[in-house]
C-alpha cells in the first residue's frame, strides 16, 4: 500500500509540474496532449468499472463521450454557455441513455452483450450523422467554451489542472465504489454469478447501477473532450473510439485502480511517438508498428502494465 501511494504521489507531482517544465522548454503543445490523455483516462476509468470489476464487455462506451460532447455543443449553439448547466445535462443525458441501453443489454451476456452495446452505439453514431442542423457527418464547431466562473477553460493552464483534478477525483470515486459493499457484490457477480444469486444477491440491479454510473462519468469526459477539441463530430461515438477505450483498460490492467490511467498514457504517448518518428515509413504506417507492440504487451503482461507494480484489485 505504501508503495502504491508513493507511486501515485510521484505521478501526481510530475503531472502538476509538467506544464511549467514544458513551457520553460518552449513546448506548450505537450500541455494539450497530456490534457487530452487525462480526459480519455477519465472515460477509460469509467469503462474499467463495468469491464474490469463487473465483467461487462461493453463495445459501445464511446457513445457517452459523444453524448457529453454534443450536450455541450448543442447548448452552446443555442447560446447557453453556463458550464454547470451544460455539464449537468451531459452527465444526466449520458446516465439516462446508459439506463436505457443497460436495461436491455444487461439481460444478455457474452457475445450477445457485446453486439447489443455495439448496435446501440452505432445507432447513436448514425443519429449524429443525420443531425444536419448540427453539422451532420462534418460535425460542429463549439461556439464558446463552457463558462464555469471559477475556472477559465480558454486558459490552457487552468483547463489542464481542472482535467487533472477531475481525473484524480474520478479515480478515487471508482476506487471507493469498488471497495464498498456495492462493489463487493459487483465483483462477486463477475466472479461467480450463480453463487451470488444463491446467497441472495441478484446481479442485475447492481450491474445496471454500475452501468449507469459508468455512463455518467464518461459523459463528464465527453463534456471535457468537447471543450478540449472545440469541434464535435459523430466520430466521438464510433466503435473505433470504443475499441481504444477498451484497449486502454486492457493494456493498463483491468480491475486495477491505476490501470486505465496507465493504459491511456501508454497508448496515446506511444501513438504520438510513432506518428512523429523521423523515419517516414514508420510515421506513415504507424498502425502497422503499434499493432504488434500492443499484442506483445498483452501476451507478456497478462495483468496489464499495472501488474508490473502491484497485483490488481480483483
Amino acid at each position: 500500500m505504501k508503495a502504491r501511494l508513493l507511486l501515485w504521489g510521484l505521478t501526481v507531482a510530475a503531472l502538476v509540474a509538467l506544464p511549467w517544465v514544458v513551457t520553460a522548454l518552449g513546448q506548450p503543445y505537450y500541455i494539450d496532449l497530456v490534457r487530452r490523455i487525462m480526459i480519455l483516462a477519465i472515460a477509460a476509468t469509467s469503462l474499467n468499472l463495468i469491464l474490469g470489476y463487473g465483467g461487462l464487455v461493453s463495445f459501445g462506451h464511446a457513445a457517452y463521450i459523444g453524448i457529453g460532447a454534443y450536450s455541450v455543443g448543442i447548448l452552446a449553439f443555442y447560446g447557453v454557455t453556463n458550464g454547470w448547466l451544460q455539464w449537468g445535462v451531459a452527465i444526466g443525458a449520458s446516465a439516462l441513455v446508459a439506463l436505457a441501453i443497460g436495461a436491455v443489454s444487461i439481460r444478455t451476456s457474452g457475445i450477445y452483450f457485446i453486439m447489443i452495446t455495439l448496435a446501440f452505439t452505432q445507432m447513436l453514431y448514425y443519429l449524429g450523422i443525420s443531425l444536419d442542423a448540427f453539422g451532420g457527418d462534418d460535425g460542429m464547431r463549439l461556439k464558446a467554451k463552457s463558462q464555469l466562473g471559477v475556472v477559465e477553460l480558454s486558459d490552457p493552464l487552468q483547463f489542464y489542472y481542472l482535467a487533472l483534478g477531475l481525473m484524480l477525483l474520478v479515480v478515487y470515486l471508482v476506487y471507493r465504489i469498488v471497495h464498498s459493499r456495492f462493489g463487493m457484490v459487483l465483483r462477486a457477480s463477475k466472479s461467480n454469478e450463480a453463487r451470488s444469486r444463491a446467497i441472495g444477491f441478484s446481479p442485475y440491479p447492481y450491474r445496471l447501477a454500475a452501468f449507469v454510473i459508468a455512463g455518467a462519468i464518461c459523459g463528464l469526459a465527453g463534456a471535457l473532450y468537447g471543450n478540449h477539441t472545440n469541434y464535435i463530430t459523430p466520430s466521438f461515438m464510433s466503435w473505433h473510439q470504443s475499441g481504444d477505450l477498451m484497449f486502454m483498460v486492457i493494456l493498463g490492467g483491468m480491475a486495477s485502480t491505476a490501470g486505465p490511467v496507465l493504459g491511456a498514457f501508454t497508448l496515446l504517448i506511444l501513438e504520438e511517438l510513432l506518428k512523429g518518428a523521423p523515419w517516414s515509413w514508420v510515421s506513415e504506417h504507424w498502425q502497422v508498428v503499434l499493432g504488434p507492440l500492443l499484442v506483445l504487451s498483452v501476451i507478456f503482461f497478462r495483468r496489464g502494465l499495472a501488474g508490473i507494480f502491484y497485483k490488481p484489485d480483483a
Side-chain angles (χ1 to χ4, degrees):
M1 180 60 71
K2 290 183 178 180
R4 291 194 199 185
L5 292 175
L6 178 61
L7 287 171
W8 271 109
L10 291 173
T11 301
V12 172
L15 290 174
V16 169
L18 183 136
W20 304 99
V21 174
V22 297
T23 300
L25 295 175
Q27 298 290 338
Y29 163 74
Y30 290 103
I31 296 176
D32 288 341
L33 173 62
V34 175
R35 185 175 66 210
R36 173 173 171 259
I37 295 173
M38 291 190 295
I39 291 170
L40 291 177
I42 292 173
T45 300
S46 69
L47 177 59
N48 189 42
L49 175 62
I50 56 175
L51 174 60
Y53 296 105
L56 300 173
V57 186
S58 173
F59 214 84
H61 205 64
Y64 311 113
I65 293 181
I67 293 169
Y70 269 101
S71 296
V72 171
I74 292 172
L75 286 173
F77 181 82
Y78 288 109
V80 180
T81 59
N82 185 299
W84 301 103
L85 177 59
Q86 288 180 341
W87 293 15
V89 170
I91 294 170
S94 298
L96 285 174
V97 173
L99 178 62
I101 294 175
V104 176
S105 59
I106 292 175
R107 297 182 184 277
T108 64
S109 60
I111 189 66
Y112 304 104
F113 178 84
I114 296 173
M115 295 309 296
I116 287 177
T117 54
L118 175 61
F120 274 115
T121 300
Q122 289 303 100
M123 289 168 59
L124 292 169
Y125 170 74
Y126 286 110
L127 174 63
I129 289 178
S130 68
L131 296 175
D132 293 333
F134 306 114
D137 192 23
D138 294 328
M140 63 184 295
R141 184 172 182 81
L142 184 65
K143 287 197 169 183
K145 289 185 181 292
S146 300
Q147 303 298 313
L148 297 171
V150 292
V151 177
E152 184 56 59
L153 298 187
S154 58
D155 183 336
L157 201 61
Q158 292 188 43
F159 195 179
Y160 174 92
Y161 285 118
L162 176 64
L164 173 59
L166 289 175
M167 183 189 74
L168 295 175
L169 178 63
V170 166
V171 169
Y172 179 72
L173 176 63
V174 171
Y175 174 83
R176 294 293 299 175
I177 289 172
V178 298
H179 288 86
S180 65
R181 293 183 179 181
F182 170 85
M184 290 175 65
V185 175
L186 184 65
R187 287 187 285 170
S189 300
K190 173 193 173 185
S191 178
N192 194 318
E193 183 174 339
R195 187 171 294 177
S196 297
R197 293 182 184 279
I199 60 176
F201 292 103
S202 173
Y204 179 81
Y206 292 91
R207 286 175 172 169
L208 181 58
F211 200 87
V212 172
I213 293 169
I217 294 173
C218 197
L220 171 62
L224 287 166
Y225 204 52
N227 279 280
H228 170 78
T229 60
N230 279 323
Y231 202 86
I232 301 159
T233 71
S235 63
F236 287 4
M237 298 182 278
S238 70
W239 65 270
H240 300 90
Q241 185 68 65
S242 294
D244 286 346
L245 293 178
M246 188 177 296
F247 204 86
M248 289 174 193
V249 176
I250 296 171
L251 176 63
M254 294 193 298
S256 62
T257 304
V261 176
L262 187 57
F265 272 87
T266 302
L267 179 62
L268 296 176
I269 289 176
L270 188 57
E271 179 182 313
E272 192 71 20
L273 290 173
L274 290 174
K275 286 181 178 179
W279 307 285
S280 60
W281 65 271
V282 174
S283 59
E284 291 176 7
H285 308 287
W286 60 271
Q287 295 98 331
V288 178
V289 180
L290 180 63
L293 289 176
L294 297 179
V295 170
L296 290 172
S297 69
V298 171
I299 292 174
F300 290 104
F301 302 109
R302 296 294 181 88
R303 292 176 175 172
L305 298 176
I308 300 172
F309 304 102
Y310 60 88
K311 182 178 178 181
D313 301 328

